[in-house]
Structures are given as structure tokens and as C-alpha cells.
Amino acid sequence: MKSVLIPSMVIDIITTGVSGLDGYVFEKVENCPFCGGAVKGHDIKKKKFATIIEDNKRKIITVNVKRSRCTSCQKLVYADSPFYKNIRMGSPLVDFCLINLKIHSANHISKILKKMNILVNPSTIRSLKGINADHIAHVDFQGIFFPLSLLNISEKLQIR
């Protein structure tokens, strides 16, 4: 298996960004995406974003996503948040897995993520095969693709 060489600055940016999202509240929702109607606050749902290694222990990073009820069609509407539909992991991490599946095995991607203190099971990564990754903007660091969504993750922390 190839050795994993990631610049420490990149690891720091990603680790700080992911761990800094713990407890973050995503609450931006303007209108109902189904009918365009006005929405009224309903509740806040806690969602798992990632599992990281911190102080040699597993830590689950969760975010809070505001849910609203449409006043017209009564459907439940989630605020804009970094998740793909039906995938229980933050979209920047999904993006990382998807673009790297083009050139690396799921086991190797899991090893790369672990080097960044992020735990993702290879079987979870394999389950993403077949999802189109052509839309994901990324940069190449020594044969590892980093999506801009992951490199810019700490920008979310600046809007608190």
C-alpha cells in the first residue's frame, strides 16, 4: 500500500475545521422547496457529521439542523446544511471519498482520512461508488484529491 504523505498544514486546516463544527447550528431556510410557501420554525435535529480521533479517543462531531414546517403544504423542510440526501456523513467528507474513489481503493482512502484524524470505514466508502463526482471542485496534493468543500470547511466557523 502507498504511504500517505499529507502536508501538516492541510491536516491542521481540516482537523480544526471538522472539530470546530461540533454543535454548529445550520438554520438558513427561506421558503418551502416544494411549493414556495413561507416556513415556520419546527425544531432542531442533531445530525452526525463525522467521527474523529481526539486525544486518542473517538469523538462524534454533530451539527444541529433547524427544521421548519411549511405553512402552505405542511411539509417538513430542513435548513441548508452540508449533507447529501440519504447519506449520514458530512458532504465535505463524502466529496473527499467520491473524488478519491476514482484513483484509490476504499481501504487507502480510509487510511488517508485516518492520517487526518477522521474515521470512515472502508465499507462506508465503498457504498458511495457509482455516485457522480464530476461536479466536485478539488485540488491535487501529491496524488490525493482534496475537495474545496473540505479545505474551506473552517469558513463556516467564521459566520457564527
Side-chain angles (χ1 to χ4, degrees):
M1 176 120 340
K2 303 174 198 170
S3 65
V4 179
L5 299 172
I6 302 167
S8 60
M9 182 175 72
V10 173
I11 293 172
D12 290 344
I13 289 169
I14 293 170
T15 302
T16 301
V18 170
S19 62
L21 282 175
D22 196 30
Y24 188 85
V25 179
F26 291 92
E27 53 192 346
K28 182 182 175 189
V29 60
E30 301 198 2
N31 293 323
C32 176
F34 304 103
C35 73
V39 294
K40 184 178 178 184
H42 179 71
D43 66 3
I44 293 182
K45 179 150 176 100
K46 186 182 273 193
K47 296 181 90 171
K48 178 181 171 183
F49 185 84
T51 303
I52 65 169
I53 301 169
E54 188 175 271
D55 300 324
N56 293 320
K57 296 179 183 173
R58 288 177 181 242
K59 179 180 180 186
I60 296 176
I61 302 299
T62 59
V63 297
N64 299 298
V65 181
K66 183 177 181 178
R67 298 190 307 174
S68 299
R69 179 83 53 194
C70 177
T71 57
S72 298
C73 70
Q74 302 302 310
K75 291 189 177 181
L76 200 57
V77 178
Y78 283 80
D80 293 335
S81 61
F83 291 93
Y84 287 114
K85 188 176 181 175
N86 299 323
I87 299 178
R88 295 181 179 186
M89 178 171 46
S91 60
L93 299 175
V94 174
D95 290 348
F96 182 88
C97 295
L98 287 173
I99 59 174
N100 281 289
L101 273 170
K102 294 179 177 183
I103 57 170
H104 297 293
S105 70
N107 288 339
H108 190 61
I109 295 168
S110 179
K111 182 179 174 185
I112 294 167
L113 287 167
K114 188 172 182 179
K115 192 85 160 169
M116 296 186 290
N117 299 314
I118 299 169
L119 299 176
V120 180
N121 192 304
S123 63
T124 300
I125 297 169
R126 276 190 289 278
S127 73
L128 300 173
K129 279 189 178 179
I131 298 175
N132 184 1
D134 293 340
H135 67 285
I136 301 170
H138 62 277
V139 294
D140 182 350
F141 282 118
Q142 301 177 3
I144 301 170
F145 296 142
F146 287 87
L148 298 183
S149 59
L150 187 57
L151 293 175
N152 296 330
I153 199 165
S154 59
E155 287 180 9
K156 290 277 183 219
L157 302 175
Q158 296 172 2
I159 33 181
R160 275 190 167 179

